[in-house]
Amino acid sequence: MSDRLFRAALPAAALAAVLALSSCQVRPLYGGVQGAALNAKMHELAFNTPSTPVAQAVLNELIFLTGGGKGESLDPKYDVSVTAYAVTTDVLVNDSSDTADAGRTIVTADFSVRRRSDSKLLASGQRRATALVDFPSQEFAKQRAIRDAERRAAREVAEIINADIAIALNTEPPEELPPAPGTDKPLK
């Protein structure tokens, strides 16, 4: 009896799940006509001059991500300001030699995005990323390992900030949407 009930309820449950999912408003951030408009906005960014090597690493990665590898915009409509710093701390301390065998590097970046036309703040925040690092016994190798950890964490912070910028620009009304597939007229 329960097997029959299960077979009868299964199609109804599947139909309910399909109806629930069809009302979902989730769409890809970079998909469709709106995604093309967002990609165009991501290419209209100008970046500040970095003040630290870690900020330079974050900005380099961010410029690559937002520009699709093409560099900064020649006609920017938005200003992005990023400051970043890194802190490395010991994690595993060897009691016999009082030296650390491993550490943790944390890169912290503050960012803001402003529209150039009216200086309106579109997004701002602070993002952090952590990279673990092993400390070799040689000092030069240890410094190189810390620098590599800073670059890994800087790359991760840049990816998070890139997503934050995309979300902020996606809520901005487009000046003009690109033409829909199969038409020649731009959407308004």
Side-chain angles (χ1 to χ4, degrees):
M1 177 83 176
S2 66
D3 189 37
R4 237 186 256 160
L5 182 62
F6 177 74
R7 286 184 189 164
L10 187 60
L15 180 62
V18 168
L19 289 175
L21 289 176
S22 68
S23 66
C24 185
Q25 296 296 319
V26 175
R27 64 178 173 83
L29 187 60
Y30 292 104
V33 175
Q34 289 85 6
L38 176 60
N39 282 335
K41 287 180 192 174
M42 293 293 281
H43 296 289
E44 297 174 334
L45 301 173
F47 297 89
N48 66 312
T49 303
S51 58
T52 64
V54 174
Q56 179 72 57
V58 171
L59 281 169
N60 285 347
E61 187 67 24
L62 198 54
I63 290 168
F64 180 80
L65 291 170
T66 60
K70 296 178 184 176
E72 289 190 62
S73 171
L74 298 176
D75 183 29
K77 293 188 172 115
Y78 305 96
D79 288 319
V80 178
S81 176
V82 177
T83 58
Y85 63 92
V87 175
T88 301
T89 58
D90 298 338
V91 175
L92 298 174
V93 178
N94 188 343
D95 291 333
S96 63
S97 65
D98 199 30
T99 59
D101 295 330
R104 173 184 307 137
T105 298
I106 300 172
V107 170
T108 304
D110 295 311
F111 75 97
S112 65
V113 181
R114 291 187 181 276
R115 191 179 325 137
R116 276 195 167 183
S117 61
D118 59 0
S119 295
K120 179 183 177 193
L121 181 65
L122 303 177
S124 66
Q126 185 179 75
R127 300 293 178 250
R128 286 190 181 110
T130 302
L132 300 178
V133 58
D134 289 330
F135 294 147
S137 59
Q138 295 177 336
E139 187 60 29
F140 177 79
K142 179 180 176 181
Q143 293 303 318
R144 185 65 208 185
I146 291 171
R147 186 179 308 151
D148 290 343
E150 288 174 353
R151 290 215 173 118
R152 286 194 318 269
R155 188 176 315 118
E156 189 174 332
V157 165
E159 289 172 2
I160 296 168
I161 293 173
N162 180 53
D164 289 336
I165 292 171
I167 291 168
L169 293 180
N170 199 33
T171 60
E172 275 283 285
E175 292 176 5
E176 188 174 289
L177 289 175
T183 64
D184 293 331
K185 294 173 26 179
L187 299 175
K188 292 187 180 182

